[in-house]
């Protein structure tokens, strides 16, 4: 509920203690993460451009985080791909529940991305 117009409303988010933050390193946010709501309003997306002072944030259980392994792709490309009608259709076909809908991490992982370009750390190839 703290996503609006593709931004996090940092001043409205719930805060956790430093001890709780340190417990789960795998869900600590990083600049460039792509977040998606997985319960209730499924599929709201956010690209983490920055994390305000003190530069620490973590996920709650209603979010999924997408992060490239080994810097293998450009996360912003994934954000735009997941914003497509194809992914929205995938969500509709795979959501579960009767009054409060959700989607599992497993169902999301079955979405096939046609092409995920490598991160631009080389000179671009010339066009044919």
């Amino acid at each position: 509920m703290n996503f609006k117009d593709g931004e996090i409303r940092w001043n409205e988010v719930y805060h956790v203690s430093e001890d709780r933050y340190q417990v789960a390193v795998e869900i600590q946010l990083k600049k460039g993460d792509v977040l998606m709501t997985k319960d209730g309003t499924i599929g709201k997306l956010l690209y983490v451009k920055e994390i305000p002072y003190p530069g620490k944030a973590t996920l709650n259980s209603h979010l999924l985080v997408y992060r490239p392994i080994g810097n293998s792709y450009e996360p912003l490309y994934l954000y735009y791909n997941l914003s497509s009608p194809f992914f929205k259709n995938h969500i509709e076909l795979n959501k579960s529940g009767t009054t409060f809908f959700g989607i599992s991490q497993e169902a999301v992982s079955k979405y096939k991305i046609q092409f995920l370009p490598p991160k631009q750390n080389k000179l671009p190839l010339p066009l044919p």
Side-chain angles (χ1 to χ4, degrees):
M1 75 178 145
N2 302 109
F3 290 12
K4 184 172 182 177
D5 301 323
E7 299 286 333
I8 296 176
R9 293 184 265 175
W10 293 103
N11 60 330
E12 297 177 12
V13 298
Y14 177 76
H15 292 79
V16 297
S17 69
E18 180 70 24
D19 290 340
R20 176 64 184 111
Y21 173 79
Q22 296 298 336
V23 166
V25 175
E26 66 278 0
I27 62 170
Q28 293 174 359
L29 288 184
K30 297 178 182 178
K31 185 177 174 181
D33 283 348
V34 176
L35 307 179
M36 185 187 94
T37 55
K38 66 180 185 101
D39 300 310
T41 306
I42 307 168
K44 284 176 76 174
L45 295 167
L46 182 98
Y47 177 77
V48 179
K49 296 177 199 169
E50 63 182 359
I51 301 171
Y53 179 83
K56 295 179 180 182
T58 190
L59 297 178
N60 68 33
S61 61
H62 300 285
L63 296 172
L64 293 174
V65 63
Y66 299 91
R67 182 180 297 148
I69 296 171
N71 231 9
S72 56
Y73 65 85
E74 180 57 55
L76 197 51
Y77 176 83
L78 180 64
Y79 169 81
Y80 286 119
N81 192 286
L82 297 179
S83 299
S84 74
F86 302 107
F87 186 66
K88 299 214 183 307
N89 186 53
H90 178 79
I91 289 172
E92 285 301 311
L93 293 172
N94 290 281
K95 68 183 181 183
S96 60
T98 53
T99 56
F100 186 78
F101 291 105
I103 192 164
S104 69
Q105 190 169 343
E106 179 183 2
V108 171
S109 72
K110 292 181 181 178
Y111 177 66
K112 303 291 186 211
I113 295 177
Q114 296 274 335
F115 172 69
L116 198 56
K119 200 158 180 162
Q120 291 295 328
N121 52 8
K122 300 177 187 174
L123 293 174
L125 296 174
L127 294 174

